[in-house]
Structure formats: C-alpha cells, structure tokens
Amino acid sequence: MTALDFTSVVERMAPSLRPAAYNLTRDSDDAKDLVQETLLKAFVNRDRFKAGTNLKAWLYTIMRNTFINHYNKVTKRSSNVDTTDYIQTHPSDDRMIAVNRASGDFALNDIYAAIDNLPEELRTPFMMYYVGYKYLEIAEKLKLPIGTVKNRIHLARKELKQELKGYAYAD
C-alpha cells in the first residue's frame, strides 16, 4: 500500500474513531486529542502496518494503547497519596465555597456524616478507594473478590449521591 493510499484510507476511517475515543475519555476535547494522536502515530508508524490486515482494528489498538498509556502516566503522577489509615483532609475545592466566599464547612460536615452513616461493609472499601487504593489492592487487603469490592464502592457512591443530592450541581 502506497503512502497516498494509506493516508486516504486512514482519513476516511478517522470519523469512526471519534465515538470510540469519546467512550474512552468521556470528554469531547480529550476525545479529539486522542483521535489526533492516534492518527499521528498511525502515520508515523505506517511502515509497521501489514497490508491485508484489518486497518480499522490496527487504528483502534493504537488508540486504546495511547489512552491506556496516558491514563497510566496521569495516575502515576497523581497517585502520591499517603495510604496510612484513612486520611481525611478538607478539600480546597472552589465548588465547596459559597458565593460570599464563606467556608463550606457545613457541606463537609454533611458529607462526613453521610459517609459515617454508610454500613461498614460499604464504608471501608469506599474510603480505601477514596484515599487512593486500587480495586485489586482493596480486594487483597479485605480478602474479598474484586467484583464484590467494585460493587460495594458503587453502592456506597450511589447511597452518598442520594444522601447528598441537595448539593448536586444543576447544569
């Protein structure tokens, strides 16, 4: 396949990459960046593509690997969390500050109360996940199947969302 043919076929497939990129990133700007980076890598590594194989699958593989590598890089950079017993800090998130710039302590108190009201079997995995443990680490520490850990964290988040729906943002 000539460089011109390759470029033509890849450009025709580019629009079909966007929905998959959005499914991975859940953000339209990040999805556009991911597609652009995928296409760039495909053009740079054109010589590695074997004619007669599935080009679309090759592009999806490049996109998935690019996303995973970026995700791993970001999580490594932001995972400097001290995992000693559940550290509770007061976030300095602007969303927790009222219009008059007053402290959002009342909201934090409600959040902490909602977390305290969770059943122990939901609260423990949720707090471990919150402070930075990965699902597999939680499963090993609590001696539970990973599916159970994921389910309990999901249920805890669902209960907290219901309990704290008064603080939900109206978009």
Side-chain angles (χ1 to χ4, degrees):
M1 178 180 291
T2 67
L4 189 58
D5 292 338
F6 181 83
T7 302
S8 174
V9 173
V10 169
E11 284 178 351
R12 280 196 311 264
M13 289 186 180
S16 69
L17 295 174
R18 288 188 184 100
Y22 184 80
N23 282 339
L24 290 170
T25 63
R26 299 289 184 210
D27 181 77
S28 59
D29 290 334
D30 289 342
K32 289 175 186 174
D33 291 343
L34 181 58
V35 169
Q36 188 174 17
E37 193 169 345
T38 300
L39 294 175
L40 177 65
K41 287 183 178 182
F43 291 132
V44 168
N45 295 300
R46 178 178 52 87
D47 57 321
R48 292 186 180 179
F49 177 71
K50 292 178 179 69
T53 60
N54 188 342
L55 179 62
K56 192 173 190 177
W58 188 68
L59 291 171
Y60 279 108
T61 301
I62 292 172
M63 183 167 53
R64 188 190 74 236
N65 291 343
T66 301
F67 173 76
I68 290 170
N69 290 340
H70 177 70
Y71 176 81
N72 287 339
K73 203 179 298 180
V74 168
T75 55
K76 273 185 182 175
R77 200 178 307 138
S78 64
S79 66
N80 296 334
V81 177
D82 185 6
T83 56
T84 55
D85 289 334
Y86 313 126
I87 299 172
Q88 293 185 356
T89 60
H90 295 278
S92 61
D93 192 342
D94 286 342
R95 294 175 296 178
M96 298 299 291
I97 298 175
V99 175
N100 65 359
R101 307 297 293 169
S103 173
D105 285 342
F106 66 93
L108 286 176
N109 290 337
D110 288 349
I111 293 169
Y112 294 142
I115 291 171
D116 288 340
N117 287 337
L118 288 172
E120 182 63 30
E121 71 262 5
L122 300 181
R123 183 174 53 244
T124 300
F126 175 79
M127 289 305 297
M128 291 176 77
Y129 182 77
Y130 174 75
V131 299
Y133 284 93
K134 305 283 186 236
Y135 289 126
L136 191 58
E137 294 171 326
I138 298 168
E140 289 171 356
K141 283 205 178 272
L142 299 179
K143 295 180 177 62
L144 294 170
I146 193 164
T148 302
V149 168
K150 288 180 178 182
N151 186 46
R152 288 182 181 179
I153 292 170
H154 170 76
L155 293 174
R157 291 178 65 182
K158 190 175 176 181
E159 282 191 34
L160 290 172
K161 187 175 181 181
Q162 180 63 32
E163 183 83 19
L164 300 167
K165 66 183 172 188
Y167 293 104
Y169 294 109
D171 289 331

